[in-house]
Amino acid sequence: LKIASLRFPSLPAIQGTVSASIFLIALVTTSSATMINLMIAAECENVAKIGVEPGHTFFLRLRCTQCQEETANAVGVSREMNVEGIRGASVNLQIKCKGCGRSHDISFDADTPDGEWESSGPEAQRLASFECRGMDPFECEVRDGFIVTAPDGSKFEDVDLSDEWMDVDNKGNPVSISNVRTEFISAKSGGKKKKK
């Protein structure tokens, strides 16, 4: 919020009120963008990679950075969604806060493709990156649309990870994923977690 002081010529008093020569005008600026990474972790057996299909829809619960109002339900956003944003550019989601009435938008980071979890990496790994203006995600509902790859190259598509998932690879070995967890971290603050 920027406050600018402007001086006007003295105005005559109206109905007994005192005339004023200085007015304070509040200029509300558009929220700057923040980059947020969606991280995923899970308990896996015989799993090499977990990724998402092209155009995957992520279901996010959002919080307004102005008034802290939260969306009652998860809102779907995918790279295939394109609408005009608050600055006129194309974005993947625009939403109006029910608390303060401001319009906010979210886009996938165009310079960063969706990531994937790999067994050789750390426990939590980046799955997607979002450019957020005025409304930040704080919860991700895990549903279907995942791609799971086993060490022998067996690939399973449109996997639903909302609950424990099990199958067998081409060699007959069991493949399973359970206890899937997600979190959001700031992409430009050394991995600081977003508060829930």
Side-chain angles (χ1 to χ4, degrees), residues 30-58:
T30 302
S31 302
S32 59
T34 57
M35 300 302 300
I36 297 176
N37 288 339
L38 170 62
M39 311 294 288
I40 186 171
E43 295 178 9
C44 301
E45 179 185 3
N46 200 29
V47 172
K49 297 180 181 180
I50 303 173
V52 293
E53 299 176 343
H56 178 80
T57 299
F58 293 89

Side-chain angles (χ1 to χ4, degrees), residues 75-149:
V75 180
V77 57
S78 77
R79 290 183 182 271
E80 296 179 348
M81 298 167 57
N82 289 286
V83 296
E84 184 176 333
I86 55 179
R87 291 190 171 185
S90 178
V91 298
N92 298 122
L93 174 68
Q94 185 185 82
I95 185 169
K96 187 173 183 178
C97 177
K98 292 184 178 180
C100 63
R102 291 184 173 90
S103 292
H104 308 301
D105 60 49
I106 294 179
S107 289
F108 287 83
D109 183 0
D111 298 325
T112 307
D114 292 336
E116 58 185 7
W117 181 93
E118 297 184 358
S119 59
S120 60
E123 179 181 3
Q125 300 177 46
R126 187 190 68 85
L127 190 61
S129 298
F130 301 96
E131 181 178 330
C132 307
R133 294 184 183 277
M135 190 164 280
D136 291 347
F138 67 92
E139 181 181 323
C140 177
E141 290 187 2
V142 177
R143 302 187 184 183
D144 56 6
F146 286 86
I147 300 174
V148 178
T149 306

Side-chain angles (χ1 to χ4, degrees), residues 173-195:
N173 298 315
V175 182
S176 67
I177 300 175
S178 62
N179 194 24
V180 176
R181 306 174 301 282
T182 60
E183 67 177 358
F184 293 95
I185 64 172
S186 174
K188 295 184 178 180
S189 62
K192 182 179 179 182
K193 295 181 180 179
K194 300 296 292 183
K195 294 182 179 179

Side-chain angles (χ1 to χ4, degrees), residues 60-71:
L60 313 176
R61 288 197 63 202
L62 307 170
R63 179 184 294 123
C64 178
T65 59
Q66 299 293 324
C67 69
Q68 305 304 307
E69 178 78 10
E70 299 177 356
T71 56

